[in-house]
Amino acid sequence: MLALVTGASSGIGLMYARELARRGHDLLIVSNQEKEIVETAEAIHKEYGVGCTPLYRDLAADGAAEELFAYCEEKRMEIEILVNNAGVFFFNPLTETSVGRIDLMLKLHVITATHMTRLFGGAMAKRGHGYILNMSSMSAWMAMPGISIYNSTKSYILNMSRSLWYEFMPKGVSVTAVCPGAVDTGLYGLSPYWRRVAVRLGISMPPEKLAKRGLDAMFRRKKQAVPGWINRWLFIPLIKHLPDWTVFTVMKRLKQFQK
């Protein structure tokens, strides 16, 4: 099966691409990092022996999903696995965040992800088979100052995916929302020390481990997956009921760690 992975030149997207290649799937990998995505495709092909086509695209651009779908149609690429992973993260109060950064997050997490799911999911449904993985986050359950746009868009992805699971499943297509806690990448801007601490405590998960668990859930056609027992059974029930003073304390601590 041919898999399309967005944001595949680094971080979680790269791990999704590598894990799919390890399982024998040919790939179309997309990123807005032109040099890196070409190098990634070459490395994956060399290591796993699968076909791996790199494509440089800015998925936050207007009409990006439609252009990508048209590219696949022109090249006669039947995408049977779609991993909507491209995204951004920043920790900043809303009024201190530029309009450009806000629009970037909204376009990637909401507009492009929605249109990608509609276009590629529709083509899968016509063929009667397919898998879609949308990257949400455990923050979809959180009310946290400083990441208000991020957790709101991840909540959108979670609820959209859960709803679309019911729409697509009768047509042979599953939609899975993967909702990790912290992942050990540079996305969050934490110092190396706090990244190591988070992994040791089980709060943060290595991206290669997340990729395996996310894909396992997708191939089992689950509506959602929250990798890590501590996230699923402790943190999610806890964060729904955090008192206000705790939220303010965590917000201050996060600002200190991002140094």
Side-chain angles (χ1 to χ4, degrees), residues 10 17 46 65 95 141 154 157 167 169 171 186 192-193 198 202 219 232 259:
S10 61
K46 183 177 180 180
T95 55
W141 285 274
K154 292 301 183 178
I157 292 171
E167 291 186 19
M169 273 298 285
K171 301 174 183 179
Y193 171 79
F219 284 121
R232 186 164 56 253
K259 295 179 180 179

Side-chain angles (χ1 to χ4, degrees), residues 14-215:
L14 173 58
M15 293 302 105
Y16 275 128
R18 290 177 61 87
E19 179 61 19
L20 283 162
R22 188 186 69 81
R23 300 183 189 204
H25 297 288
D26 292 332
L27 294 165
L28 169 61
I29 55 175
V30 183
S31 172
N32 65 345
Q33 298 177 306
E34 188 170 12
K35 178 174 178 286
E36 289 83 351
I37 200 65
V38 172
E39 292 173 347
T40 296
E42 292 174 351
I44 287 176
H45 173 67
K46 183 177 180 180
E47 182 173 358
Y48 299 101
V50 299
C52 190
T53 303
L55 185 63
Y56 168 66
R57 286 287 189 277
D58 177 8
L59 292 178
D62 292 340
E66 289 78 7
E67 288 183 8
L68 181 51
F69 183 74
Y71 172 89
C72 293
E73 292 284 287
E74 179 186 347
K75 300 295 182 180
R76 297 186 178 180
M77 292 180 166
E78 288 192 354
I79 302 301
E80 297 175 270
I81 300 168
L82 170 63
V83 178
N84 275 319
N85 168 78
V88 292
F89 178 90
F90 51 80
F91 183 88
N92 224 26
L94 180 64
T95 55
E96 297 175 19
T97 306
S98 70
V99 171
R101 294 190 81 188
I102 293 171
D103 286 350
L104 172 64
M105 185 172 283
L106 290 173
K107 287 177 179 178
L108 283 176
H109 295 187
V110 177
I111 295 174
T112 299
T114 301
H115 289 304
M116 291 277 287
T117 302
R118 174 182 175 271
L119 291 166
F120 288 98
M124 293 176 190
K126 288 180 181 178
R127 296 192 297 267
H129 186 270
Y131 301 90
I132 298 173
L133 187 157
N134 290 329
M135 279 300 293
S136 181
S137 166
M138 199 172 70
S139 68
W141 285 274
M142 297 174 68
M144 178 57 67
I147 60 168
S148 56
I149 303 301
Y150 182 81
N151 61 17
S152 297
T153 58
K154 292 301 183 178
S155 180
Y156 170 85
I157 292 171
L158 172 61
N159 285 287
M160 177 188 73
S161 301
R162 286 171 57 90
S163 298
L164 291 179
W165 186 90
Y166 291 100
E167 291 186 19
F168 279 115
M169 273 298 285
K171 301 174 183 179
V173 181
S174 60
V175 182
T176 303
V178 177
C179 309
V183 183
D184 187 33
T185 70
L187 184 66
Y188 307 107
L190 296 178
S191 68
Y193 171 79
W194 287 110
R195 283 178 61 176
R196 291 193 298 271
V197 169
V199 171
R200 285 200 299 268
L201 293 176
I203 296 171
S204 181
M205 179 178 292
E208 59 272 19
K209 189 174 182 179
L210 168 63
K212 290 178 182 178
R213 294 189 178 183
L215 291 173

